[in-house]
Amino acid sequence: MPSIKRTKFKLSPEQLLEMFYWLKLIRAFDERLSILVKQGKVRSGVYTGIGQEAIIVGTGFGLRKDDYICPLHRDLGSFLMKGVEPGVMMSQMFAKTTGLSKGRDSALHSGVSDLGIFGNTSMLGANLPVAAGLALTYKMEHTDNVVVAYFGEGASNVGDFHEALNFAGVQRLPIIFVCENNQYAYSVPIEKSMAIDDVADRAESYGFDGVAINGNDVLAVYQSTQGALARARSGEGPTLIECKTYRWHGHSEHDKAFYRTNEELAMWKSRDPIPTFTTYLKGLHVLSDQQEQDIVERVAKVIDEAVEFAMSAPDPKPEDAVTDLYA
Ligand SMILES: Cc1ncc(C[n+]2csc(CCOP(=O)(O)OP(=O)(O)O)c2C)c(N)n1
């Protein structure tokens, strides 16, 4: 079977199938969460990234355990890719003791230091100076690990974003800033919050490259990320990758997104990253109908087991609220 030709960073058929699996798993995880919210079973706000999976998979694929990621509210899939078990992630959303924070936060602020996952705060953009600080640590320790920090286009209008990019540029830090430009910051369309078309252009002011790419093309995201990783690992500093995409659901599951048209949504759904990649893989004869079916069934089983694990896990006790505290 062929590997992809004419690209710098080649992937084997097995790796391409693995990418396909991750796209399907992350989509299915969010879709199931969306249903569970409607059933009143989730104890957290849910901010699905349905439609944006190619960014998570393209940037996360091939990261090392020692590379750090700084995910956002919409990036639950990046936890899975970095090694959090689906049942643990689902428990986190159910606020169960088997979740990452043992049922003690609103689910979206947990990190896992052993896996290189930074626990984000709610303040938009606030993860970026911290991510730059992590990258500074890597530089000071003379490792070639890299930090991958995610943010929305809305967050790129916040002061913290500019401070972080400036510091990273001055220090030539090993960090990749990944903008998930899904066109809206809650109900605010991009043209009402930015006077330029591309967030990527902002990198130039801070002395490093920014590139705007099709964020629904998992291979484009992967290729750009691999280039940025190679530069960061060899001491050439940061890169900003702006991935143009669209979130299919509202800002969160309680938002019906009346501020956008059905036509706009339909247009973006026609650019769904998963069928595009499926057709591509079938054209390469890397994926057969049978393999596709097997992966769909495997994903359904993983999600069913994750929900079952979370549903049957114990709730935290009131006295658990005061354990694991720093004095
Ligand atoms: C500093 C700050 N301002 C406002 C908010 C409220 N808020 C939470 S998410 C959000 C929209 C975020 O948009 P964007 O950064 O584009 O990311 P997206 O949710 O679209 O992925 C807003 C305004 C916040 N959390 N922090």
Side-chain angles (χ1 to χ4, degrees), residues 3-308:
S3 60
I4 293 182
K5 302 280 191 302
R6 291 189 291 279
T7 55
K8 194 165 175 193
F9 303 99
K10 299 195 173 30
L11 288 159
S12 67
E14 293 72 29
Q15 287 173 311
L16 289 166
L17 287 179
E18 210 186 317
M19 272 186 161
F20 181 73
Y21 168 77
W22 283 117
L23 286 170
K24 294 292 248 188
L25 183 77
I26 293 168
R27 169 74 55 94
F29 194 94
D30 269 354
E31 281 180 339
R32 183 65 70 86
L33 263 184
S34 177
I35 293 168
L36 290 163
V37 169
K38 293 180 185 81
Q39 294 173 340
K41 300 213 167 105
V42 180
R43 294 168 177 162
S44 166
V46 170
Y47 304 77
T48 66
I50 297 173
Q52 305 187 188
E53 299 87 350
I55 304 172
I56 296 305
V57 177
T59 53
F61 196 82
L63 284 186
R64 297 180 193 159
K65 194 175 167 218
D66 289 341
D67 295 324
Y68 234 97
I69 59 166
C70 301
L72 283 181
H73 46 282
R74 221 172 284 294
D75 304 329
L76 299 185
S78 63
F79 285 75
L80 302 176
M81 285 198 79
K82 207 72 172 55
V84 176
E85 289 298 325
V88 172
M89 204 62 221
M90 202 56 92
S91 301
Q92 176 71 359
M93 306 311 290
F94 282 57
K96 295 296 187 83
T97 49
T98 45
L100 296 170
S101 45
K102 304 179 193 166
R104 287 176 300 193
D105 78 356
S106 72
L108 301 169
H109 305 106
S110 56
V112 192
S113 53
D114 290 347
L115 296 174
I117 305 172
F118 170 69
N120 192 26
T121 62
S122 278
M123 300 312 292
L124 288 181
N127 65 327
L128 300 176
V130 181
L134 285 167
L136 179 64
T137 308
Y138 284 155
K139 185 182 166 187
M140 291 169 73
E141 289 176 347
H142 302 289
T143 71
D144 67 348
N145 300 327
V146 176
V147 177
V148 180
Y150 299 87
F151 61 98
E153 81 292 343
S156 79
N157 300 314
V158 171
D160 276 351
F161 164 86
H162 296 273
E163 291 181 34
L165 266 71
N166 186 49
F167 187 70
V170 170
Q171 297 283 338
R172 311 304 295 162
L173 297 180
I175 181 165
I176 306 176
F177 295 101
V178 178
C179 178
E180 300 174 283
N181 180 354
N182 58 19
Q183 316 300 321
Y184 288 88
Y186 213 127
S187 56
V188 180
I190 188 163
E191 61 274 13
K192 290 204 172 146
S193 65
M194 281 174 47
I196 55 173
D197 289 334
D198 296 327
V199 174
D201 287 348
R202 295 183 164 173
E204 195 185 347
S205 327
Y206 302 113
F208 57 91
D209 284 343
V211 59
I213 62 169
N214 176 1
N216 284 4
D217 179 344
V218 68
L219 294 175
V221 178
Y222 175 75
Q223 294 292 330
S224 296
T225 305
Q226 290 301 306
L229 277 173
R231 286 193 298 281
R233 293 201 200 288
S234 62
E236 289 176 56
T239 305
L240 192 168
I241 303 175
E242 178 189 1
C243 303
K244 310 269 192 193
T245 188
Y246 197 79
R247 62 164 158 73
W248 290 12
H249 287 200
H251 173 69
S252 73
E253 292 303 293
H254 62 254
D255 169 26
K256 301 217 180 317
F258 291 135
Y259 43 83
R260 64 188 187 186
T261 64
N262 290 336
E263 289 75 18
E264 182 181 280
L265 177 60
M267 189 275 282
W268 277 98
K269 281 193 171 179
S270 74
R271 300 181 186 176
D272 184 340
I274 301 184
T276 313
F277 192 52
T278 310
T279 307
Y280 178 77
L281 294 182
K282 288 192 173 173
L284 277 181
H285 302 293
V286 163
L287 178 73
S288 66
D289 289 345
Q290 185 58 52
Q291 281 169 307
E292 182 184 7
Q293 188 54 31
D294 291 347
I295 288 175
V296 168
E297 283 169 17
R298 187 174 143 213
V299 162
K301 188 164 178 285
V302 170
I303 301 292
D304 283 347
E305 286 174 1
V307 175
E308 180 56 37

